Amino acid sequence: MEYTNYLADRVKTMKGSAIREMFKRMADPEIISLAGGNPAAELFPGDELSKIAGKILMTSPTLALQYGTTDGYPKMKDCARQRAAKVNSVKEGDEILIMTGANPGIDLTAKALLNKGDAVVVESPSFIGSLNAFRSYECKLVGVDVDDDGMDMDKLEEALKTNDNVKMIYTIPTFQNPTGVTMSLEKRKRMLELASKYDVLILEDNPYGDLRFSGEDVATIKSFDDEGRVIYAGSFSKILSPGMRLGYLCAPAPIAEKIEMLKQVNDVHTPMLTQLMCVEFMKKYNIDDYIERNRELYGKKCAKMLESMEKYFPAGKVKWVVPEGGIFLWCECPTITDITPVVDKCIEKKVAIVPGSNFATDIFAPSNKFRLNYSSATLENIEEGIKRLGEVLTEML
Amino acid sequence: MEYTNYLADRVKTMKGSAIREMFKRMADPEIISLAGGNPAAELFPGDELSKIAGKILMTSPTLALQYGTTDGYPKMKDCARQRAAKVNSVKEGDEILIMTGANPGIDLTAKALLNKGDAVVVESPSFIGSLNAFRSYECKLVGVDVDDDGMDMDKLEEALKTNDNVKMIYTIPTFQNPTGVTMSLEKRKRMLELASKYDVLILEDNPYGDLRFSGEDVATIKSFDDEGRVIYAGSFSKILSPGMRLGYLCAPAPIAEKIEMLKQVNDVHTPMLTQLMCVEFMKKYNIDDYIERNRELYGKKCAKMLESMEKYFPAGKVKWVVPEGGIFLWCECPTITDITPVVDKCIEKKVAIVPGSNFATDIFAPSNKFRLNYSSATLENIEEGIKRLGEVLTEML
């Protein structure tokens, strides 16, 4: 049977994430992956969560195994509220919604706001998962260049002025994916002013904000939003466990109410056991201590990667921005126009990196950039991976 | 701030599930709920799952807590395949996708197939969660009446003949929600013939199929589909635990591939721990023995409800179909046109039932029907709840 005629327009041209496709190819255990976005598994609190899960299911099986409420288990909502409040990102009139990871929060916010043909302004480059979520509602993506201190604000204003039906700006202001860049305080304030001037909403995605290992914290955009213009997406994926799929939205009530309805017809509610486990973990342990250990480790891993890049990359041929936190490093090769042959050669040499085209609003435009991840590999594999990559770059640049 | 202008058309008129809204009101512990769709909590294997979860997190913390693949953990896919194969519902060329409950399977199938304005033919009445999922893609719902042996096939043909752009028929053929009705084998075959004749797909939703307590099993529609026209949605919610949120789709590969992309931008993947727990449970225990205990219990509970209805309902004023399985009983009050005052009075008398209008394609049309659930309450509460309901009906009919 030929299925094309049955498909909705929205999926006809949609391409899956090349990154996740790459994961499938990476079953080869000899490949060192600098490609994913996985947090460090070596710090996962397996023993603690083992005891917690065992106890919850023994003492509260009905609560853990029966249906729950769509907006989230109340104590889990308190935990999310606590994380958001820590960065002043819960405002009067906001509602918290527990989501099954941060992604459904982005997806369902887009579903609640975007008509076909509406425009979303995004950092260019940006997180492929969010870009594809927006694409799935047949909207127009308007990319705005990212400088070393975040989105170019003049270009943002130009984009807001010249595009019709812009509904929202999507931004990852802190340790951005894929660039690792953090938006300056001045730019954050300017973004909110521009959103207000051109009457659009902001979706602030902050999965990496807790992972700073140098420099000073910068206030979230939501923290100085007194109008109710910012929807804030938080995540436990990078501070507890991505496999548990726990994230949240903090949104003005009239928007949250619509997203909750969409969640009702999507996954009904987030699994109860993982919510209860997170609540217990945060009750029994100081999650900030746990995050601190992650920060230290990521600082070390990032330093190791930077040191290896200096050592093995061909001198003067690759440019990068030094991140102050998060899990990504973004590289540019100004002497070439297309990184694809380098990426392919890397797979032969058993090291995986992600070509920059994946993060572009136009995925068909060639890119001379690539993304590196330093959170997942061991220190040893970071050096070995960068060494292999350096050999390929030395050969091909 | 006024948010209406920011909202997508699809959510502007959308109403949440009145059933889930009702749950919020039912915090009052004195209310006996015959309203929900909860499975019996008394049989949840809490102790077994406690040991399983504890062990998984102790011995395989990385697997349980790290990111997983979008299509599902391979051994979990085997478990789903095994359940589907038991009812001959995996065909050559099919792919299995693990979903976070059965609902996302329905939601994302709709997203993959439905353009705005496309039509979906559904049983009238049908499951509100699915109807609202379809509505969220701005499609047209075409309701076809349900007889005691399933959808009226002549009316189905009429619907397929007279409506443009019908993409699929959505059906719950076994122990349908809300009617409890099971479609006859003849009608199932006829439905597939009609789908083929009018070139539409079928989405067969089978969350209750394992819960038969009387009569003979009827083959799934998917089991005699040799064309690749049926997408089959299965669930572990009613045979293991709804709070774990585990379901699956069994769909022709070209459709599954698109749904997988939509899942990638929705929840990325289903939580790992709950998948691993299900795999271990099915390895260590015979899940069919566990299901058998549920069946027996539901048979007893249904009998208790029917017996109480005979005893407490005003004679001749209420009609119902005796179910052979599942968790729902559907009642009609032919002497009135609108059940709403009865439902409200019931809440005063501390018993909750769901008005039929919730399950209609036109939610504004008055209904003289209501849905009862017998899986969730205890035998004692079933009798007491029906007694209270009987008093209201005696007073108001």
Side-chain angles (χ1 to χ4, degrees):
Chain A
M1 231 169 111
E2 165 57 45
Y3 292 94
T4 313
N5 288 339
Y6 300 107
L7 297 176
D9 296 335
R10 64 174 70 84
V11 298
K12 278 186 182 159
T13 58
M14 209 177 155
K15 286 181 59 171
S17 159
I19 303 172
R20 293 194 72 82
E21 288 307 309
M22 195 180 267
F23 284 171
K24 291 186 183 172
R25 280 198 294 162
M26 289 190 323
D28 180 349
E30 283 179 23
I31 290 188
I32 293 175
S33 174
L34 308 175
N38 288 9
E42 55 265 45
L43 290 183
F44 285 155
D47 288 2
E48 292 86 341
L49 290 172
S50 165
K51 289 191 192 83
I52 286 170
K55 190 171 169 201
I56 289 167
L57 284 159
M58 195 61 79
T59 58
S60 314
T62 301
L63 186 61
L65 298 171
Q66 191 56 283
Y67 280 114
T69 49
T70 300
D71 54 336
Y73 177 61
K75 286 181 185 170
M76 179 64 204
K77 289 177 71 176
D78 292 343
C79 288
R81 186 182 300 274
Q82 192 183 316
R83 296 309 304 169
K86 217 176 147 75
V87 288
N88 300 309
S89 296
V90 195
K91 299 287 177 170
E92 213 185 302
D94 278 350
E95 284 291 336
I96 301 270
L97 293 176
I98 299 301
M99 309 302 288
T100 312
N103 272 69
I106 308 296
D107 182 22
L108 299 185
T109 298
K111 189 173 179 184
L113 300 181
L114 303 178
N115 286 317
K116 182 175 175 173
D118 280 350
V120 182
V121 177
V122 301
E123 281 135 358
S124 178
S126 186
F127 172 45
I128 185 170
S130 298
L131 298 185
N132 280 344
F134 302 147
R135 287 183 179 113
S136 79
Y137 299 102
E138 299 171 276
C139 70
K140 182 179 165 191
L141 293 180
V142 180
V144 174
D145 292 343
V146 177
D147 302 323
D148 290 2
D149 62 346
M151 208 186 250
D152 182 314
M153 287 298 135
D154 294 334
K155 289 185 181 162
L156 171 61
E157 177 150 25
E158 192 60 25
L160 292 171
K161 204 185 284 182
T162 55
N163 285 281
D164 291 332
N165 302 320
V166 178
K167 277 282 180 66
M168 67 173 180
I169 304 166
Y170 170 73
T171 180
I172 309 169
T174 305
F175 316 134
Q176 202 244 3
N177 182 358
T179 62
V181 155
T182 295
M183 197 188 294
S184 67
L185 186 64
E186 295 65 36
K187 284 195 169 181
R188 290 174 193 230
K189 289 185 173 164
R190 181 90 193 282
M191 181 180 277
L192 189 59
E193 281 164 19
L194 289 173
S196 185
K197 181 174 172 185
Y198 292 94
D199 197 16
V200 300
L201 301 177
I202 294 175
L203 174 53
E204 179 175 24
D205 188 9
N206 192 23
Y208 317 107
D210 286 308
L211 302 177
R212 177 176 289 280
F213 44 74
S214 70
E216 295 295 319
D217 280 337
V218 185
T220 64
I221 302 170
K222 176 87 176 173
S223 71
F224 35 80
D225 169 31
D226 297 319
E227 251 188 311
R229 201 166 279 285
V230 182
I231 299 161
Y232 181 85
S235 176
F236 287 86
S237 288
K238 304 301 190 288
I239 61 169
L240 181 58
S241 147
M244 286 170 73
R245 312 302 306 127
L246 291 172
Y248 56 93
L249 282 180
C250 184
I255 303 274
E257 184 195 317
K258 298 296 182 184
I259 296 171
E260 187 181 344
M261 281 182 205
L262 293 174
K263 180 172 170 64
Q264 208 174 76
V265 302
N266 181 228
D267 67 4
V268 188
H269 69 88
T270 295
M272 287 301 293
L273 177 61
T274 42
Q275 293 190 68
L276 294 166
M277 284 166 64
C278 181
V279 168
E280 271 307 296
F281 185 83
M282 284 183 66
K283 205 167 93 182
K284 278 188 84 165
Y285 303 96
N286 184 344
I287 195 170
D288 287 310
D289 289 347
Y290 174 69
I291 294 169
E292 184 56 36
R293 290 201 297 279
N294 273 283
R295 276 183 187 149
E296 278 172 28
L297 180 64
Y298 292 173
K300 265 187 216 152
K301 287 187 171 188
C302 183
K304 168 61 80 178
M305 186 170 272
L306 288 165
E307 175 198 310
S308 307
M309 286 159 71
E310 295 285 0
K311 188 167 164 190
Y312 298 109
F313 281 7
K317 297 276 182 74
V318 187
K319 284 166 47 179
W320 59 85
V321 185
V322 175
E324 297 188 330
I327 62 177
F328 297 118
L329 243 166
W330 184 240
C331 298
E332 184 180 0
C333 305
T335 59
I336 58 170
T337 54
D338 186 3
I339 199 76
T340 314
V342 171
V343 176
D344 291 343
K345 189 83 183 171
C346 280
I347 290 288
E348 274 174 45
K349 295 270 187 181
K350 309 277 187 202
V351 58
I353 62 173
V354 187
S357 54
N358 281 284
F359 308 100
T361 49
D362 174 9
I363 54 169
F364 298 106
S367 169
N368 62 359
K369 303 186 176 81
F370 60 91
R371 189 191 73 178
L372 297 174
N373 165 271
Y374 49 77
S375 56
S376 171
T378 60
L379 288 167
E380 196 182 6
N381 276 350
I382 286 173
E383 174 152 12
E384 176 59 26
I386 293 295
K387 183 164 172 261
R388 293 178 192 176
L389 171 58
E391 286 162 12
V392 174
L393 291 170
T394 303
E395 185 190 327
M396 300 186 74
L397 292 188
Chain B
M1 228 169 113
E2 165 57 44
Y3 291 94
T4 313
N5 288 340
Y6 301 106
L7 297 176
D9 295 336
R10 65 174 71 84
V11 298
K12 278 186 181 158
T13 57
M14 208 177 154
K15 284 181 60 173
S17 158
I19 302 172
R20 294 196 72 83
E21 289 306 310
M22 197 181 264
F23 284 172
K24 291 186 181 171
R25 280 197 294 161
M26 290 188 325
D28 180 349
E30 283 179 23
I31 289 187
I32 293 175
S33 174
L34 308 175
N38 288 11
E42 56 266 46
L43 290 182
F44 285 155
D47 289 2
E48 292 86 341
L49 290 172
S50 164
K51 290 190 191 86
I52 285 171
K55 190 171 168 201
I56 289 168
L57 284 159
M58 195 62 78
T59 58
S60 314
T62 301
L63 186 62
L65 298 171
Q66 191 56 285
Y67 279 116
T69 48
T70 300
D71 54 337
Y73 177 61
K75 287 182 185 171
M76 180 64 204
K77 289 177 70 177
D78 292 342
C79 288
R81 187 181 299 274
Q82 191 182 318
R83 296 309 302 168
K86 217 178 148 71
V87 288
N88 300 309
S89 295
V90 196
K91 299 286 176 171
E92 213 186 303
D94 278 351
E95 284 291 336
I96 301 270
L97 294 175
I98 300 301
M99 310 301 289
T100 312
N103 271 70
I106 307 295
D107 182 22
L108 298 185
T109 298
K111 189 173 179 183
L113 301 181
L114 302 178
N115 286 318
K116 182 176 174 173
D118 280 350
V120 182
V121 177
V122 300
E123 282 136 357
S124 178
S126 186
F127 172 46
I128 185 169
S130 298
L131 299 185
N132 280 344
F134 303 147
R135 286 183 179 113
S136 80
Y137 300 103
E138 299 172 275
C139 71
K140 182 181 166 191
L141 294 180
V142 180
V144 174
D145 292 343
V146 177
D147 301 323
D148 290 2
D149 61 347
M151 208 186 250
D152 182 314
M153 288 295 135
D154 294 333
K155 288 185 182 162
L156 171 60
E157 177 150 27
E158 190 61 25
L160 293 170
K161 202 185 285 182
T162 55
N163 285 281
D164 292 332
N165 302 319
V166 178
K167 279 280 180 68
M168 67 174 180
I169 303 166
Y170 169 73
T171 179
I172 309 168
T174 305
F175 316 134
Q176 201 243 4
N177 181 359
T179 62
V181 155
T182 294
M183 197 189 294
S184 66
L185 186 65
E186 294 65 37
K187 284 194 170 181
R188 289 172 194 230
K189 289 185 173 163
R190 179 91 193 281
M191 182 181 276
L192 188 59
E193 283 163 19
L194 289 174
S196 186
K197 179 173 175 187
Y198 293 94
D199 196 18
V200 301
L201 300 177
I202 294 175
L203 174 53
E204 179 175 23
D205 188 9
N206 191 22
Y208 317 107
D210 285 308
L211 302 176
R212 177 175 289 278
F213 45 74
S214 69
E216 295 296 320
D217 280 338
V218 186
T220 65
I221 302 171
K222 175 90 176 172
S223 70
F224 36 81
D225 169 31
D226 297 320
E227 252 188 311
R229 201 168 277 286
V230 182
I231 299 162
Y232 181 86
S235 175
F236 286 86
S237 288
K238 304 301 190 288
I239 62 170
L240 182 58
S241 146
M244 285 169 75
R245 311 301 306 125
L246 291 171
Y248 57 93
L249 282 180
C250 184
I255 303 271
E257 183 195 317
K258 297 297 182 182
I259 297 172
E260 187 181 344
M261 281 181 203
L262 294 174
K263 180 172 170 65
Q264 208 174 77
V265 303
N266 180 228
D267 67 5
V268 188
H269 69 89
T270 293
M272 287 302 291
L273 177 61
T274 42
Q275 292 190 70
L276 293 166
M277 284 166 64
C278 182
V279 168
E280 271 306 296
F281 184 82
M282 284 183 66
K283 204 167 93 182
K284 279 187 81 164
Y285 303 95
N286 183 345
I287 196 171
D288 287 309
D289 289 348
Y290 174 69
I291 294 168
E292 184 54 37
R293 289 203 295 281
N294 273 283
R295 276 184 188 149
E296 277 172 28
L297 181 65
Y298 292 173
K300 265 188 215 152
K301 286 187 170 188
C302 182
K304 168 60 82 178
M305 185 169 273
L306 288 165
E307 176 196 310
S308 306
M309 287 159 71
E310 296 285 358
K311 187 165 163 190
Y312 298 110
F313 281 9
K317 297 277 183 73
V318 187
K319 284 165 50 178
W320 60 85
V321 185
V322 174
E324 296 188 331
I327 62 175
F328 297 119
L329 244 167
W330 184 240
C331 299
E332 184 181 0
C333 306
T335 59
I336 58 170
T337 54
D338 185 4
I339 200 75
T340 313
V342 170
V343 175
D344 292 344
K345 189 82 185 177
C346 279
I347 290 287
E348 274 176 44
K349 294 269 188 181
K350 309 278 188 199
V351 59
I353 62 172
V354 187
S357 54
N358 282 284
F359 308 99
T361 49
D362 173 9
I363 54 167
F364 299 106
S367 169
N368 63 358
K369 303 185 176 80
F370 61 91
R371 189 190 74 179
L372 296 174
N373 165 270
Y374 49 77
S375 56
S376 171
T378 60
L379 288 168
E380 195 183 6
N381 276 350
I382 287 173
E383 173 152 12
E384 176 60 25
I386 294 295
K387 183 162 173 263
R388 293 178 192 175
L389 171 57
E391 286 163 9
V392 174
L393 291 169
T394 303
E395 184 190 326
M396 299 186 75
L397 294 187

